[in-house]
């Protein structure tokens, strides 16, 4: 016979746990925005601190950083959006002809294209159904939701950057006496890893953008700058971003000739190998310190659980999890410091000390 006795306090604890879990599920979209804001805060904090050390008030430093970031993003979008619209229009008009050229090109390589009928199928596509009616409403709703979410992240990031010291003071009120150095070391490691990931991603995005522009410029593909910027944005998304950065540029190159498209495809795929095997390990080597298998599993799990937001947040979350694991191992084996490592952050200003 199994006898279970639960006190009133235990029932209250279980009830509060269930209520907290229910609230977390209901508020999960908001939690994603808060987590994203913390990530941006960790990325921008070294620059804000650098401006503050130069004598600027903290509010002014935060506003300058946000204006700079928004200006850069807005300028890049103003380059990409018109070019993408023009390419979509040209693709729609020339798709049957491009399909015929692709069949002829494939036939020259020995493929049996007799039953492909790509030109006829391309001419039968109803483009109006893709951008009208219910589809247009859905796209409009997603656009409005994305704008509201981005504005919320900006406001939260600004608040976190302005009140960083107050938030730290509030956090240390819950730290047991004598554990302040451990908490400070842990927070510095977490900031180094998460912020370093974001700044490292900016570096890799910039490099692939410049490389894509150069390749398309040399081959005479129109809108080279726009496709380079698009590749830089797409590089943010693990795994899927490689496909997004390659396909549009290859399709635009196919408008010139199939040979040009093959050269562009080969050049961009070669860069993907260079980035995955050489660039990323060196850019992230001092911050993430994650095996490739862990990165792959984290991205797949994030995509399965949360879709695109999960893919974007997978690597920062995995890196933060690594910090928690290192801290746990340090607490169990005091003689081994797994959290030790370089204190410099990727693409961050030097941590200068204030003069006494």
């Amino acid at each position: 016979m199994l006898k279970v006795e639960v006190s009133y306090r235990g029932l209250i604890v279980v009830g509060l746990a269930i209520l907290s879990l229910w609230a977390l599920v209901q508020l999960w979209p908001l939690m994603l925005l808060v987590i994203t804001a913390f990530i941006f805060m960790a990325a921008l904090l070294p620059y804000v601190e650098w401006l503050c050390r130069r004598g600027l008030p903290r509010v002014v430093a935060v506003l300058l950083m946000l204006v700079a970031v928004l200006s850069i993003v807005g300028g890049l979008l103003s380059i990409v959006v018109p070019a993408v619209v023009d390419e979509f229009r040209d693709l729609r008009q020339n798709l049957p002809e491009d399909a015929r050229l692709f069949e002829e090109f494939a036939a020259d390589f020995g493929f049996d294209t007799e039953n492909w009928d790509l030109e006829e199928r391309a001419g039968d596509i109803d483009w109006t159904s893709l951008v009208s009616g219910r589809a247009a409403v859905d796209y409009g709703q997603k656009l409005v939701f994305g704008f509201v979410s981005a504005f919320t992240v900006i406001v939260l990031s600004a608040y976190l950057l302005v009140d960083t010291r107050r938030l730290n003071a509030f956090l240390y009120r819950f730290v047991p006496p004598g554990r302040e150095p451990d908490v400070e070391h842990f927070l510095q490691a977490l900031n180094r890893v998460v912020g370093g990931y974001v700044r490292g991603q900016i570096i890799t995005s910039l490099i692939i953008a410049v490389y894509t522009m150069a390749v398309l410029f040399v081959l005479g593909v129109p809108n080279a700058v726009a496709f380079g910027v698009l590749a830089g944005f797409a590089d943010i998304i693990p795994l899927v971003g490689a496909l997004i950065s390659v396909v549009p540029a290859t399709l635009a190159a196919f408008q010139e000739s199939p040979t040009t498209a093959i050269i562009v495809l080969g050049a961009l795929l070669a860069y993907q190998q260079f980035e995955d095997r050489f660039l990323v390990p060196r850019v992230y080597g001092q911050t993430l310190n994650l095996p490739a298998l862990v990165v792959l599993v984290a991205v797949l799990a994030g995509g399965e659980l949360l879709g695109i937001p999960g893919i974007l947040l997978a690597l920062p979350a995995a890196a933060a999890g690594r910090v928690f694991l290192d801290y746990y191992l340090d607490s169990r084996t005091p003689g081994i410091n797994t959290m030790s490592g370089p204190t410099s952050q990727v693409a961050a200003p030097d941590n200068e000390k204030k003069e006494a």
Side-chain angles (χ1 to χ4, degrees):
M1 179 179 296
L2 180 63
K3 184 178 181 180
V4 178
E5 294 182 357
V6 182
S7 64
Y8 289 110
R9 180 178 298 181
L11 290 176
I12 293 175
V13 171
V14 172
L16 289 176
I18 295 175
L19 182 62
S20 300
L21 182 60
W22 174 83
L24 178 62
V25 172
Q26 298 298 318
L27 298 176
W28 183 245
L30 177 60
M31 294 297 297
L32 283 179
L33 299 181
V34 174
I35 293 171
T36 305
F38 269 102
I39 292 174
F40 279 111
M41 182 269 288
L44 297 178
L45 184 59
Y47 302 100
V48 172
E49 297 290 350
W50 184 82
L51 292 175
C52 290
R53 290 194 295 269
R54 264 64 187 172
L56 287 179
R58 193 171 189 85
V59 174
V60 176
V62 172
L63 290 177
L64 284 178
M65 286 304 307
L66 292 180
V67 169
V69 171
L70 292 177
S71 299
I72 293 173
V73 174
L76 295 177
L77 289 178
S78 66
I79 296 174
V80 172
V81 174
V84 170
V85 172
D86 292 341
E87 287 296 331
F88 178 78
R89 185 187 62 239
D90 295 341
L91 176 65
R92 182 180 61 181
Q93 294 175 353
N94 302 328
L95 188 59
E97 178 65 17
D98 292 339
R100 184 184 63 81
L101 292 176
F102 181 77
E103 281 191 359
E104 295 177 355
F105 183 74
D108 292 339
F109 280 88
F111 291 95
D112 185 10
T113 62
E114 183 177 354
N115 297 324
W116 286 12
D117 297 329
L118 295 182
E119 182 177 4
E120 181 179 352
R121 295 179 182 179
D124 293 337
I125 296 177
D126 185 8
W127 295 97
T128 57
S129 63
L130 299 177
V131 293
S132 63
R134 182 62 183 173
V137 174
D138 292 339
Y139 294 146
Q141 291 177 345
K142 292 179 180 179
L143 182 62
V144 172
F145 178 76
F147 177 80
V148 173
S149 299
F151 180 77
T152 303
V153 169
I154 293 172
V155 173
L156 290 174
S157 300
Y159 173 79
L160 293 173
L161 288 170
V162 170
D163 281 347
T164 300
R165 296 176 182 175
R166 187 180 303 175
L167 290 173
N168 284 339
F170 177 77
L171 176 63
Y172 277 102
R173 293 178 61 183
F174 300 93
V175 177
R179 301 302 300 270
E180 291 85 356
D182 293 337
V183 174
E184 182 179 0
H185 183 64
F186 172 78
L187 292 178
Q188 288 178 353
L190 190 63
N191 177 69
R192 184 182 71 248
V193 169
V194 177
Y197 164 75
V198 177
R199 292 185 293 272
Q201 181 61 66
I202 294 175
I203 294 174
T204 58
S205 294
L206 181 62
I207 294 175
I208 191 176
V210 172
Y211 176 82
T212 304
M213 289 181 203
V215 171
L216 297 182
F217 267 128
V218 170
L219 296 176
V221 179
N223 297 318
V225 175
F227 284 111
V229 174
L230 181 61
F233 277 115
D235 193 64
I236 298 174
I237 308 175
L239 301 180
V240 182
L243 180 65
I244 298 176
S245 63
V246 170
V247 171
T250 303
L251 291 176
F254 192 81
Q255 302 289 325
E256 303 301 311
S257 70
T259 303
T260 303
I262 289 180
I263 296 175
V264 170
L265 179 62
L268 296 185
L269 289 179
Y271 176 83
Q272 293 294 337
Q273 294 298 315
F274 166 77
E275 181 180 281
D276 293 340
R277 299 177 183 276
F278 180 83
L279 185 61
V280 169
R282 282 157 179 78
V283 172
Y284 296 139
Q286 294 183 343
T287 53
L288 294 188
N289 194 23
L290 294 174
L293 179 60
V294 174
V295 172
L296 177 61
V297 172
V299 171
L300 294 177
E304 184 69 22
L305 293 174
L306 303 174
I308 295 297
I311 294 176
L312 294 175
L313 297 176
L315 290 185
R322 174 62 184 264
V323 174
F324 280 99
L325 178 61
D326 289 344
Y327 181 78
Y328 173 74
L329 294 177
D330 284 345
S331 64
R332 295 196 60 182
T333 54
I336 301 177
N337 187 5
T338 59
M339 292 181 65
S340 63
T343 58
S344 61
Q345 302 185 43
V346 176
D350 294 335
N351 294 324
E352 302 175 4
K353 300 236 177 154
K354 292 183 179 181
E355 296 183 0

